[in-house]
Amino acid sequence: SGIKASTVALAGMATAGIAAVGAGLTSAFNQAREFEQSMADVSAITGATGESLDALSGLARDMGATTAFSAKEAAEGIQFLGMAGFDTNDIMDALPSTLSLASAAGMELGAAADIASNIMSGMGMTADELDGVVDKLAQTSRNSNTDVGMLGEAFKMVGPTASAAGMEFDDVTTSLGLLANAGLQGGIGGSSLNSALRAMINPSKEAAKEAEKLGLNFQDTNGNMLPMVDILEQLDEKSVTTQQAFEIFGTEGARAINALRAQGVDSFNALDTKIKESGGIAEDMAKVRL
């Protein structure tokens, strides 16, 4: 009786073991199939074939083996970078930095790649600037009341206008960080800052007249926006009132300008300095988080 029971138990364990192995093989097969499909999508998006596609595939597999992300997730990150116009060499250089951003922000790799590449496209930046962008986004999220996802939403609203106005990336990022501190986060902060910039580079007749009367100037001799800190200093020096700010920047734009002025030039400079000195911060944050 005891031997029979033991035999039955062993048979049950063997059956369970075989089932577990089978399930594991099925899971591995499905993962491999999903990865191959992801790389096929990469080929379709980037046009990479042969050795170039093999290199990207190897990179994705390596990221999957050595990081917290799977090879499939790495392939999805490659897809987003490819959709942003990055070529194979750019992607090879960019993916590790994008991975650091995703790890530091606690988000999916594809989402991080999408956000970083969208920001760079909106600001007219090149692939070799990605490392700096990644570090500055991570630093801003670390030192202001926002996160990488909300910064991505904000840049959607203001990036193209800021680029057209000749505004520096650091200037935009610092402004968005301070606006987030004032409760103007994500798309709301981006939209408000966008309205303020538009009012400065293409003002209405009434707004231009009011700015001229107060002795305000928002552009340099090349027609590019002056640094935001210079503009804030002018507004303080001329003792521009809240009502005058509404007349110059409009209702939406004045909300951003007044929020920046309320925090002050010193706060702007402090965050700007941290952002400028952020080299390597995304990787450091990723290591701590992981």
Side-chain angles (χ1 to χ4, degrees), residues 7 13 29 32 34 60 62 82 109 127 170 195 206 235 270 283 287:
T7 301
M13 292 172 64
F29 175 77
E34 290 173 356
D62 183 53
L109 180 55
D170 294 6
S195 294
E206 294 77 9
L235 297 174
E283 184 177 0
K287 288 178 180 177

Side-chain angles (χ1 to χ4, degrees), residues 259-277:
L260 294 175
R261 290 185 72 193
Q263 293 174 81
V265 169
D266 288 345
S267 293
F268 192 100
N269 284 332
L271 181 55
D272 183 56
T273 297
K274 288 181 179 179
I275 289 172
K276 283 181 167 56
E277 297 175 351

Side-chain angles (χ1 to χ4, degrees), residues 238-250:
K238 303 296 182 181
S239 301
V240 175
T241 66
T242 299
Q243 181 57 41
Q244 289 170 327
F246 277 107
E247 293 173 3
I248 295 169
F249 302 105

